Amino acid sequence: MHRKERTGIVALAVPDLEEPYFAELTALLVRRADERGLSILIQQTAGDHEREVDVANGIGLPPTDGLIHIPRALSVADLTRRTSPGPLVLLGEHILVSPFTHVTIDNRAASYAATEHLASVGCRRVAFVGPRDARPSDAADRRYAGYREAVAALGIADDPALVAQVESFTPAEGQRAVADLLARGVELDGIVCSNDSVAFGALPALHDAGRRVPEDVAVVGIDDVRGARFTTPSLSSVSPDKEALVERALGELERQIATPPGANLPVQHVVVDARVVARASTAR
């Protein structure tokens, strides 16, 4: 079998570029790919299953050397039925255990660390804002599981009333969910948000209700986007090693691209580090 001619183009499937975390990750991927002599072709999928499958199959795309896919709805079955298989790296939150190379953070450990951080500053009734049962998210499910594990291990309040659903991972939904918690009279002194965007909405909801952050309620997000430094107060967050995510994803894709067709290449499941960055929103 002959190797197809290289194009120097790598496709990137990303759910939503209006989400700061995905926008920052995409910008970093473009910069690091350029340093490697590669161009990135960006495909925004909105997490739509049909669109994610089309991109995985190369439908509507020009010839590329490979694909980095950040999936929301894609399944292992979808990928095993790819009509144009080629170099593929899954990046981010979904399909952690699969026969395809995957680069991610440990979402369960991230929310465990966030909850543990709040307990360490004295919080005993910690809410979790971010499950999404209507449109399930693997990352949000794992982050909720980490919160539940931390609550059990740390001996802090285990109260179903402390858990608030969101429809989407946006500031508007974070604001609505926290306002609803407070309107229902739920007692809380800490909030773990499933991502920073949700936390960006939690802060004004608390302010509007006359709750001081962090004195009355400490707040922590996950993803550590740049905007976390500029909220009032600045937002504590769990920070993934974004450089490592991008470098490993590009490195694994280049390894596949360089491998002759038909060769046996081991599948890699790479988990990069994440750490709590404490800022004013938890500085009790």
Side-chain angles (χ1 to χ4, degrees):
M1 183 182 295
H2 295 290
R3 181 191 304 278
K4 68 178 183 179
E5 187 175 346
R6 291 282 298 271
T7 66
I9 300 172
V10 169
L12 170 66
V14 59
D16 182 8
L17 288 171
E18 291 184 358
E19 164 56 45
Y21 178 71
F22 292 135
E24 291 178 16
L25 206 60
T26 297
L28 188 56
L29 272 162
V30 169
R31 288 197 297 272
R32 296 295 174 259
D34 185 63
E35 292 168 2
R36 296 167 180 254
L38 296 170
S39 296
I40 298 288
L41 174 67
I42 300 168
Q43 297 291 301
Q44 190 169 228
T45 65
D48 177 76
H49 179 255
E50 185 176 347
R51 180 65 184 139
E52 289 190 351
V53 171
D54 283 349
V55 172
N57 288 327
I59 296 173
L61 273 63
T64 62
D65 295 335
L67 170 64
I68 296 175
H69 206 312
I70 305 174
R72 277 270 173 86
L74 211 58
S75 69
V76 171
D78 294 326
L79 292 171
T80 55
R81 292 193 296 262
R82 287 174 79 200
T83 55
S84 57
L88 168 70
V89 171
L90 300 172
L91 177 59
E93 59 192 31
H94 198 67
I95 321 178
L96 184 62
V97 178
S98 78
F100 302 95
T101 291
H102 193 119
V103 181
T104 188
I105 68 166
D106 186 335
N107 284 295
R108 188 185 299 252
S111 62
Y112 189 107
T115 310
E116 187 176 45
H117 174 62
L118 291 183
S120 75
V121 299
C123 297
R124 289 298 173 263
R125 290 189 58 82
V126 176
F128 184 85
V129 179
R132 192 179 70 171
D133 289 350
R135 292 177 57 207
S137 158
D138 183 77
D141 289 348
R142 292 177 186 276
R143 290 175 184 185
Y144 178 55
Y147 160 80
R148 296 287 306 149
E149 287 180 9
V151 164
L154 300 170
I156 58 179
D158 183 359
D159 182 353
L162 287 165
V163 179
Q165 292 271 339
V166 297
E167 293 294 322
S168 58
F169 306 113
T170 62
E173 272 295 282
Q175 186 172 26
R176 181 204 58 77
V178 172
D180 182 62
L181 280 173
L182 299 174
R184 289 191 283 113
V186 177
E187 291 185 23
L188 54 90
D189 56 8
I191 302 176
V192 173
C193 296
S194 59
N195 72 359
D196 288 351
S197 289
V198 170
F200 291 162
L203 294 174
L206 290 164
H207 179 268
D208 291 346
R211 303 292 183 92
R212 299 169 302 162
V213 178
E215 294 88 349
D216 300 326
V217 182
V219 180
V220 62
I222 300 174
D223 287 339
D224 195 29
V225 300
R226 289 192 190 94
R229 300 159 179 78
F230 303 107
T231 56
T232 302
S234 57
L235 179 68
S236 297
S237 187
V238 180
S239 181
D241 188 339
K242 298 182 188 76
E243 286 280 357
L245 280 170
V246 166
E247 286 295 329
R248 290 303 301 270
L250 286 169
E252 291 300 329
L253 193 69
E254 285 189 320
R255 188 169 65 94
Q256 293 180 37
I257 291 169
T259 300
N264 185 22
L265 190 65
V267 170
Q268 300 290 324
H269 290 138
V270 180
V271 179
V272 306
D273 290 336
R275 63 185 180 87
V276 173
V277 176
R279 299 191 179 95
S281 70
T282 59
R284 286 183 152 182

